[in-house]
Amino acid sequence: MPTIAQQFGMEEALAQLGVKAINDGTSTGNEWFSNGELIESYSPVDGQLIGKVRATTAADYERVMESATKAFKTFRTMPAPQRGEIVRQFGNKLRELKEPLGKLVSYEMGKSLQEGYGEVQEMIDICDFAVGLSRQLNGQTIPSERPKHVMREQWHSIGVVGIISAFNFPVAVWSWNTALAWICGDVCVWKASEKAPLCSIACQNIIAGILKDNNLPEGISCIINGDYKVGEMMTTDVRIPLISATGSTRMGRIVGTTVAQRFGKSLLELGGNNAIIITPTADLKVVVPGAVFGAVGTAGQRCTSTRRLIIHESVYDKVRDAIVGAYKQLTIGNPLDQKNHIGPLIDKDAVNTYLAAIEKAKAEGGKVLVDGGVLSGEGYESGCYVKPAIIEAENHFEIVQHETFAPVLYLMKYSGDVENAIDLQNGVAQGLSSAIMTNDLKEAEKFLSFSGSDCGIANVNIGTSGAEIGGAFGGEKETGGGRESGSDAWKIYMRRQTNTVNYSDELPLAQGIKFDL
Ligand code: NAD
């Protein structure tokens, strides 16, 4: 019987990506070195060891920073459209390697193969976006109040960008940051998640080849590996003006404070507690797939996963029955096999957190509609496969107020106007993604208005998860306030400078102030 890895050609995929059994986890591009302990990467799909990555030590980190700070001085002088050309080549290489990289994402992280490919597609999309943007890093000309004066705004490269990423998007988050940072003239140091380190080796190999082919120096793309202590080397380092950190709110609180203390900038992409409001006019054909995919896709391990359904009492029974019915059709198993809807959680700690959440919800008075539990037996040997659960709950329950990074969906009722549902939707500490299902224009517009959803993402007749790269991505409140990817998110990777030029023969002061000598 072939193993899952053999069945899906993992050996070939790893070879194509240059991922070995034991890898150095520190790199400045084409140079690899590392003197720390070995991190073992086990697949949550079948519990098998995929490979090992040597962690970064303080001395390794110093070598990376020397290389990165040196590279920045030359990279920023390269015209932005030429930097865009590098990113274009990177996107093309990703097109060629979409299959092996998508497989590695799926096997190392546990998301479905389709989602693994989707994640690589997001990388390609952001590269395309960044290429166009490399000719549009425009400042403005501003009318001056003084005669024969010109005011303008320019955007300059910021320096070394530190990227800290979460396990659940082990490659896309890196590219959302790097594609933009590179066209902006910055160099990047990436600390990957210790739960998916092999993905970082693969990504670095891809970009290193491009940089070499273009005779670019070491230091433009660097990776470091290890746990939070390696992350701290960057957050405390004054040589890094911007830290982009994706992960839990717990992590963001520490990282945000540390970076702020040294007056660095941080871009925080943290946890969500996303809800869909289902109104009386909602179309069940849209509601059911939107809510079910949102809640169980990636086994509930997306920052935008649907955690709460806020359903109008007049349609509550009908919606509840339809969702519970749909859950009965879900198949759980090997995510590389396309017949399965749900793969594993990342590890056994995540399984324990999931089990504890269900117990807590019950203890607080929640009513279980679809029971959870851990699957065992053939195909579930990793111990990371769980059943998605649905629990009737109240918004104020402590457990509902927290993000549980697993497929646990809370159903709750609202009565009266949509404003009551919006209050519930906003009545949590997080503010990432939100949605309303309605065919009532007024309800939709209220939801999107200044007194509507308080989230960074607010959708109508679409679920909470699955954003496109063209929009700015991120959320408010405990989600951290950062925005990355599309729209004008590029501005965080640059520093703004206001220039005033006097082409007269006098020196008039602003605000009409006189200073005669
Ligand atoms: P995590 O917070 O445990 O770890 C994320 C990263 O932060 C890891 O690389 C980790 O090593 C590092 N880290 C942790 N503590 C640190 C510290 N004190 N200093 C420096 N680095 C530190 O998160 P996770 O379990 O990998 O990912 C799941 C979480 O990420 C969820 O809360 C999810 O909502 C969130 N997430 C948010 C977004 C978003 O865009 N808003 C996207 C993906 C994931």
Side-chain angles (χ1 to χ4, degrees):
M1 202 36 196
T3 62
I4 288 180
Q6 286 165 342
Q7 235 174 310
F8 291 92
M10 283 314 303
E11 204 176 309
E12 296 77 8
L14 292 171
Q16 273 178 285
L17 298 166
V19 177
K20 297 177 288 211
I22 299 179
N23 306 271
D24 277 335
T26 316
S27 163
T28 53
N30 289 285
E31 286 174 18
W32 292 83
F33 44 92
S34 249
N35 295 290
E37 287 173 1
L38 283 173
I39 308 168
E40 296 180 326
S41 180
Y42 289 92
S43 169
V45 174
D46 56 6
Q48 296 300 308
L49 180 68
I50 320 172
K52 298 180 190 177
V53 173
R54 200 172 286 288
T56 304
T57 61
D60 298 331
Y61 174 75
E62 268 315 299
R63 190 167 156 189
V64 164
M65 284 306 295
E66 266 167 39
S67 181
T69 44
K70 187 164 166 228
F72 173 59
K73 294 207 172 92
T74 52
F75 194 50
R76 68 179 167 185
T77 65
M78 190 174 185
Q82 285 181 25
R83 298 191 297 251
E85 166 57 19
I86 304 300
V87 173
R88 190 188 66 78
Q89 293 174 28
F90 176 46
N92 284 348
K93 198 76 195 166
L94 288 167
R95 283 180 170 88
E96 277 173 36
L97 293 171
K98 182 172 173 178
E99 194 175 325
L101 187 57
K103 273 187 192 169
L104 174 59
V105 168
S106 176
Y107 191 53
E108 191 176 32
M109 183 274 156
K111 62 176 64 177
S112 78
L113 191 55
Q114 284 312 308
E115 290 175 287
Y117 292 151
E119 195 172 330
V120 183
Q121 187 58 47
E122 272 191 51
M123 301 174 83
I124 296 167
D125 293 344
I126 193 74
C127 285
D128 287 353
F129 182 86
V131 175
L133 199 56
S134 69
R135 292 179 184 270
Q136 299 170 72
L137 303 172
N138 306 338
Q140 320 187 50
T141 309
I142 302 158
S144 169
E145 66 187 46
R146 287 170 278 184
K148 296 190 179 173
H149 279 57
V150 174
M151 274 173 78
R152 64 169 187 239
E153 227 171 44
Q154 298 192 84
W155 293 93
H156 293 310
S157 314
I158 201 173
V160 182
V161 174
I163 302 161
I164 296 173
S165 63
F167 78 85
N168 65 328
F169 275 90
V171 294
V173 166
W174 170 70
S175 67
W176 288 353
N177 284 283
T178 52
L180 297 193
W182 285 329
I183 58 118
C184 290
D186 302 326
V187 300
C188 299
V189 181
W190 175 27
K191 194 205 84 66
S193 166
E194 58 273 43
K195 294 178 188 170
L198 296 171
C199 281
S200 74
I201 308 294
C203 288
Q204 179 73 350
N205 279 333
I206 298 170
I207 187 65
I210 306 279
L211 295 170
K212 189 173 179 194
D213 290 349
N214 287 277
N215 296 316
L216 286 166
E218 293 290 298
I220 292 168
S221 177
C222 304
I223 63 164
I224 53 177
N225 265 287
D227 63 10
Y228 73 96
K229 293 190 218 87
V230 176
E232 279 173 356
M233 294 179 194
M234 292 205 293
T235 57
T236 52
D237 191 339
V238 289
R239 292 169 293 182
I240 303 190
L242 171 66
I243 295 283
S244 170
T246 301
S248 59
T249 293
R250 189 197 58 77
M251 175 279 287
R253 192 166 274 127
I254 300 169
V255 167
T257 316
T258 309
V259 176
Q261 266 172 355
R262 59 172 180 83
F263 297 101
K265 287 204 280 185
S266 48
L267 191 175
L268 299 177
E269 296 282 354
L270 312 175
N273 193 347
N274 319 297
I276 303 180
I277 296 173
I278 300 166
T279 69
T281 61
D283 184 346
L284 267 191
K285 286 201 303 299
V286 178
V287 168
V288 175
V292 176
F293 174 72
V296 309
T298 327
Q301 299 171 108
R302 285 188 182 209
C303 50
T304 52
S305 289
T306 307
R307 312 255 172 240
R308 299 174 292 145
L309 295 185
I310 302 167
I311 309 167
H312 194 268
E313 59 182 359
S314 65
V315 290
Y316 183 84
D317 291 356
K318 192 170 71 173
V319 173
R320 177 198 59 204
D321 294 349
I323 304 265
V324 169
Y327 265 52
K328 294 199 176 111
Q329 292 159 37
L330 296 173
T331 51
I332 308 166
N334 170 15
L336 291 143
D337 183 341
Q338 297 194 24
K339 77 174 191 326
N340 292 320
H341 298 104
I342 305 168
L345 292 179
I346 184 70
D347 55 22
K348 289 195 180 136
D349 285 348
V351 172
N352 291 334
T353 306
Y354 151 90
L355 289 172
I358 294 176
E359 286 314 307
K360 183 120 205 295
K362 283 191 210 161
E364 287 193 74
K367 181 177 159 199
V368 174
L369 299 178
V370 175
D371 207 359
V374 186
L375 293 161
S376 57
E378 204 188 322
Y380 303 127
E381 289 85 355
S382 71
C384 297
Y385 290 87
V386 301
K387 291 190 267 180
I390 305 182
I391 299 175
E392 236 169 26
E394 303 276 343
N395 204 49
H396 62 80
F397 287 1
E398 225 244 312
I399 191 67
V400 176
Q401 290 286 316
H402 284 95
E403 178 196 49
T404 300
F405 218 51
V408 181
L409 179 65
Y410 299 112
L411 263 52
M412 56 197 77
K413 275 184 201 164
Y414 79 96
S415 52
D417 295 337
V418 74
E419 282 85 349
N420 297 330
I422 293 170
D423 282 348
L424 287 171
Q425 130 73 35
N426 292 346
V428 291
Q430 309 81 356
L432 181 52
S433 185
S434 60
I436 189 168
M437 300 287 184
T438 183
N439 281 327
D440 179 328
L441 179 71
K442 287 186 192 164
E443 277 184 341
E445 289 294 343
K446 274 184 196 167
F447 178 72
L448 301 179
S449 75
F450 54 85
S451 55
S453 165
D454 63 3
C455 291
I457 298 166
N459 297 332
V460 177
N461 294 331
I462 294 178
T464 57
S465 75
E468 298 179 24
I469 62 97
F473 181 87
E476 303 300 330
K477 303 195 292 187
E478 288 192 0
T479 303
R483 291 295 185 280
E484 59 190 16
S485 193
S487 185
D488 65 353
W490 61 271
K491 289 180 176 168
I492 187 112
Y493 303 96
M494 304 202 89
R495 62 186 170 86
R496 184 195 307 241
Q497 187 178 68
T498 306
N499 309 128
T500 310
V501 178
N502 174 7
Y503 63 95
S504 76
D505 299 324
E506 325 258 299
L507 185 65
L509 300 176
Q511 295 91 39
I513 291 171
K514 295 271 178 254
F515 186 78
D516 293 329
L517 287 174

